[in-house]
Amino acid sequence: MNELVVESPGRINMIGEHIDYNGGTVMPAAIDKKLLIYFKINKSSSTSIESIYYRDKFLVDLNNIKKSKISWHNFILGVLDILLKKKINIKNFNCVINGDLPIGAGVSSSSALVCGLIKGLTTINNYKLKDGEMIDIAREVEYNFIGVKGGIMDQFTIINGRKNNLILLDCKSNKHKYVNAKFDPFKILLINTNVKHNLQESSYNQRVDQCNEALQHLNKKENKFKFLVDVPRDILRINKKNIDEKVFKRALFVIEEQIRVNHAYKSLVSGDLEYFGKLIYESHFGLKNLYEVSCKELDFLVDFSVNKEYIIGSRMMGGGFGGCVLNIIDKNYIDDYIREISDVYKNTFSFDLKSDIVEISDGIKIKKVG
Ligand code: GLA
C-alpha cells in the first residue's frame, strides 16, 4: 500500500476530567467527528504536509527535523522525530489533513492528529505497532516535543473507541471495559464557545504540578499513596492546614471527581440517567470552583442549561480554559435550544457559538484509497 487515508476521531469525556494523570478512572468515548489524514509515498527528496483547516502547507526534510515556530507543525514534526529516533524507516510522503473535527475545542484534535499520523505512517511504511506502543509514542510526542504533561485518556480513546459505548478506563493499569451508552431520548450536544484554548500556553502543566505537590505532602509521613485519586477525602481534610490553599482545592477536586465517576458508572448500569446527569453538573462546578480551569463563556453555557428540565447534564469538557460544553439533552428540544442559546450567547459575548450533535463511534481506522 503506498496510499491510504486514516480516519482519526475526536473524543468526548462524559465524566472524570483531569484525573487521568492522577491515576483515575475516566469515562470517555470516540465520536463521529474526525480528522481525515491522507498519505501517499512520493519519490521526491522531501515530504509535504498540508492542512486544509489552517490553509497552510510546509515541507519537511526527514534527515533534519527541527521544531517550528508554528504550533500545528510541531505535532507532525514531533511524530516524525520520535518515529525516526525509534529507527522506523519512513519514506518521503505527501500528507493532506482534512475532516470535520473542531480544532482546539476540547475534543482532542491534537491527539487525533498525533495518533492518526503514527497509525498512517507506520502502516504505509509496513511497520507494525501494538496499540499500547502507539499510545506510548503519542504520549511521548505530546510530553517531550510539545511540552504538555497530559495523561493517556485521549490517545487510548482515539485508538480503542467503540460505537455506542463509553470506555470505563482505569488510567493506572489501562484496564478498561465498555459501557453501553444509548441514552435515548437524550443526545449528546457539544456547544463550542469558540474560545480557543491552548493547553501548552494555558495552566494545564501547572495543574499537573499542583497535583504532584499535593501527593508529596500527603506522603510526607509515610509513602502510602501512589496516586492522588487513592487518597481518602478525610485524609486530605486532616492535612488541610499543611497544604497550600490552591493545592488543597486541586486535590479535593481530583478526589471528588473520582468518587463522581464511580457513582456515574453505577447509575449508568442501573439506568438512573437523572443522577448521572446531576453528577455531570457537579463535575462542572468542581472544575470551575476547585480546579479553576473553566472560563466565563463555559460557565455561561452551563448556567443557562441548569433550569432546562430537558437538559439532564452539562459541563465543560477536556483540558478547559475554553473549548466545548457537553450537554445531555432530550432530542425533541435540540433545535429550539440551539436557537435560543445562540442568540443569547451572541448578545452577551458578541461572537458566535457552534454546536454539534455527536454520536459515539469507533476508534481510529485505515481506509485504502482507490
Ligand atoms: C486533555 C489531556 C487529557 C486529560 C484532559 C482533562 O485533554 O490531553 O490527558 O488530562 O485534558 O481531563
Side-chain angles (χ1 to χ4, degrees), residues 11 13 16-21 150-154 199 204 318-319:
R11 65 101 190 89
N13 184 22
E17 215 64 270
H18 281 279
I19 59 172
D20 59 346
Y21 53 82
I152 58 144
M153 172 171 78
D154 301 353
L199 291 185
Y204 185 94

Side-chain angles (χ1 to χ4, degrees), residues 114-130:
V114 168
C115 292
L117 287 165
I118 299 170
K119 181 86 178 172
L121 284 172
T122 49
T123 308
I124 209 163
N125 287 290
N126 297 315
Y127 195 90
K128 281 212 165 36
L129 279 183
K130 295 197 184 99

